[in-house]
Amino acid sequence: MALIVQKYGGTSVGSLDRIRNVAARMKRTRDEGNQVVTVVSAMSGMTDNLIKMAKELAENPSERELDVLLATGEQQSIALLTIALHELGVEAASVTGSQAGIRTTGSHTRGRILNMDPTLMKSFLDEGKSLVVAGFQGVTPDGMIHTLGRGGSDLTAIAVAAALKADVCQILTDVDGVYTCDPRVVKNARKLPEISYDEMLEMASSGSKVMQSRSVEFAKKFGVIFEVRSSLNDNPGTLVLEEHPNMENVVIRGVSIERSQARITITGIPDAPGMSGLILGALAEAEINLDMIVSNIAHDGFARHSFTMHSSDLGKAQAALKPVLADLAPNSKIETEAGIAKLSAVGIGMRSHSGVAATMFKALGAAGINIGMISTSEIKIAVTVDETRIEDAARAVHDAFGLDKVPA
């Protein structure tokens, strides 16, 4: 008997018919002799509607109360799904994040999992029940309801699988796996049978919408092998697991794109210790997540710092930096650029293969696409391009590395 943890997103439980479909899939898995624990999100649109109602009452509603409000979306889903299971004759129990023993820390609406106590879940499983667990939520050490932010239900599923030592964790969604690129952009993109944690992390941080990076980080930390697959069919998905030697034969695993990026450049910074800390500290205090960071010394002896972020953070970043400029130098200036996008090529194979950057840049040059900033890691090369050319850029790089072909 295997213990299988499944996770269904908001689209998969977005109507009563879809909830019945999930219940039937759970029953089928159980009838095959498995124990089943299912983590669900709120019904699609529910979280947005709850936030909208809160903001109609107050421009800046209390984040503590938002947590209390938003947690009800998942609780509705777990109750409805459990009722549907009962109708199919399946013994099942719904479990909130608190009841599942998910202990959290951090700010309200942006909680992080601190630890887990799966005692109640194990007792239900010992009684022969299937479980339906509310994703996206936990409880603080002092008993406050706490939500986990974007990707919180995926994170819940990985954490539950780790705590229960599940045999399999399946992330069931409206896509049937991880592709070499977004199939809506690159028509000949190919579904990957497997991908390493590190590659998945880089793709998640580079714009792939399949998984949030912190869920992958948690899975890597606790060694949880998981599969991304469709909730609408039974086709095999993509396994995410530790890397193995054969993976290095594939130079590039996939290409990711991230739209709606913006760049800020600060010029006229004195070339002195502490300047970078002053700038980045102000942005960190404003809770702005930076992506690419490039620093250099100009011919006049002053430094330049450039960094990218989501375009929605551009105004907030400018506001955070204005008071800092006065502490830098009289001639310090902020330059901004919106309308850019990021293209990333990811693969652990580039550790042992040379010429990856040359191939990528030649392909972009041949397509007439200008490169802005460049950032590299051991297994990723990322560049910024004009947002209007990002799809052309993705297709050019995808073709250059032959990602449409199955590796020998």
Side-chain angles (χ1 to χ4, degrees):
M1 176 187 291
L3 172 56
I4 298 176
V5 172
Q6 299 179 332
K7 178 265 173 179
Y8 293 89
T11 304
S12 300
V13 292
S15 67
L16 294 182
D17 281 342
R18 291 197 170 187
I19 287 173
R20 291 188 186 99
N21 176 61
V22 171
R25 288 183 70 113
M26 286 183 66
K27 182 179 186 301
R28 200 158 62 243
T29 305
R30 181 184 170 101
D31 288 347
E32 291 168 356
N34 304 300
Q35 292 179 299
V36 187
V37 179
T38 294
V39 175
V40 293
S41 301
M43 298 173 74
S44 56
M46 174 64 67
T47 300
D48 288 342
N49 287 337
L50 292 172
I51 292 172
K52 181 181 176 183
M53 285 192 286
K55 291 197 170 181
E56 285 181 7
L57 293 171
E59 186 177 348
N60 295 300
S62 157
E63 290 189 335
R64 180 190 182 279
E65 301 311 321
L66 273 177
D67 271 354
V68 175
L69 177 65
L70 298 183
T72 64
E74 279 69 22
Q75 289 173 208
Q76 173 182 281
S77 294
I78 62 173
L80 291 172
L81 179 53
T82 305
I83 290 168
L85 286 166
H86 291 165
E87 278 298 289
L88 295 177
V90 176
E91 287 189 70
S94 63
V95 182
T96 66
S98 172
Q99 293 167 337
I102 301 172
R103 303 288 180 259
T104 57
T105 186
S107 304
H108 278 291
T109 74
R110 297 176 294 277
R112 302 188 307 275
I113 294 179
L114 185 63
N115 55 55
M116 285 195 65
D117 177 6
T119 302
L120 180 64
M121 289 192 293
K122 286 180 176 179
S123 68
F124 277 134
L125 289 170
D126 289 342
E127 292 170 10
K129 290 183 169 67
S130 292
L131 295 183
V132 183
V133 181
F136 183 65
Q137 62 182 256
V139 63
T140 65
D142 55 353
M144 299 296 105
I145 294 173
H146 207 180
T147 63
L148 301 176
R150 290 185 64 194
S153 292
D154 288 344
L155 181 61
T156 303
I158 299 293
V160 167
L164 294 175
K165 296 180 171 55
D167 296 284
V168 181
C169 181
Q170 299 172 338
I171 307 295
L172 294 118
T173 180
D174 53 358
V175 298
D176 61 352
V178 181
Y179 280 73
T180 52
C181 193
D182 186 339
R184 293 168 298 184
V185 173
V186 178
K187 301 302 181 188
N188 60 351
R190 182 174 50 82
K191 185 169 70 175
L192 298 167
E194 63 180 23
I195 187 171
S196 73
Y197 293 127
D198 287 340
E199 289 169 327
M200 190 71 225
L201 270 172
E202 291 284 17
M203 290 183 74
S205 66
S206 301
S208 173
K209 299 296 188 284
V210 177
M211 292 282 290
Q212 291 288 320
S213 57
R214 63 184 185 149
S215 301
V216 186
E217 287 171 355
F218 201 100
K220 181 181 179 182
K221 180 178 179 180
F222 292 98
V224 177
I225 297 174
F226 64 93
E227 181 184 19
V228 179
R229 61 187 300 172
S230 174
S231 64
L232 305 176
N233 58 53
D234 293 319
N235 297 335
T238 301
L239 281 175
V240 185
L241 67 171
E242 284 287 357
E243 65 182 74
H244 53 76
N246 288 343
M247 285 183 170
E248 291 191 2
N249 295 332
V250 179
V251 181
I252 295 297
R253 188 79 54 188
V255 174
S256 292
I257 64 176
E258 190 163 12
R259 307 175 197 267
S260 302
Q261 299 295 290
R263 175 187 60 81
I264 283 183
T265 298
I266 303 177
T267 60
I269 304 169
D271 183 19
M275 295 295 104
S276 297
L278 197 64
I279 293 167
L280 298 179
L283 294 170
E285 194 170 322
E287 296 188 336
I288 295 167
N289 291 321
L290 301 181
D291 186 5
M292 304 169 74
I293 302 174
V294 175
S295 178
N296 54 49
I297 308 298
H299 62 84
D300 57 5
F302 285 90
R304 295 168 56 94
H305 287 343
S306 295
F307 31 81
T308 62
M309 66 201 70
H310 195 276
S311 57
S312 62
D313 285 332
L314 185 56
K316 191 164 64 167
Q318 287 177 281
L321 289 170
K322 276 182 181 177
V324 177
L325 282 184
D327 296 329
L328 293 177
N331 296 324
S332 296
K333 293 180 182 177
I334 297 178
E335 300 171 1
T336 63
E337 180 187 5
I340 61 176
K342 184 177 74 169
L343 174 75
S344 302
V346 175
I348 62 172
M350 70 173 68
R351 291 175 183 155
S352 53
H353 291 77
S354 60
V356 177
T359 300
M360 181 173 176
F361 297 158
K362 283 179 183 177
L364 292 171
I369 297 167
N370 198 36
I371 296 171
M373 294 173 68
I374 301 171
S375 173
T376 64
S377 75
E378 190 179 23
I379 65 168
K380 181 182 78 172
I381 301 173
V383 298
T384 59
V385 302
D386 189 290
E387 190 165 9
T388 61
R389 300 298 311 277
I390 187 61
E391 294 192 6
D392 295 332
R395 286 189 282 267
V397 173
H398 193 274
D399 288 346
F401 288 104
L403 295 181
D404 58 318
K405 300 176 180 64
V406 177

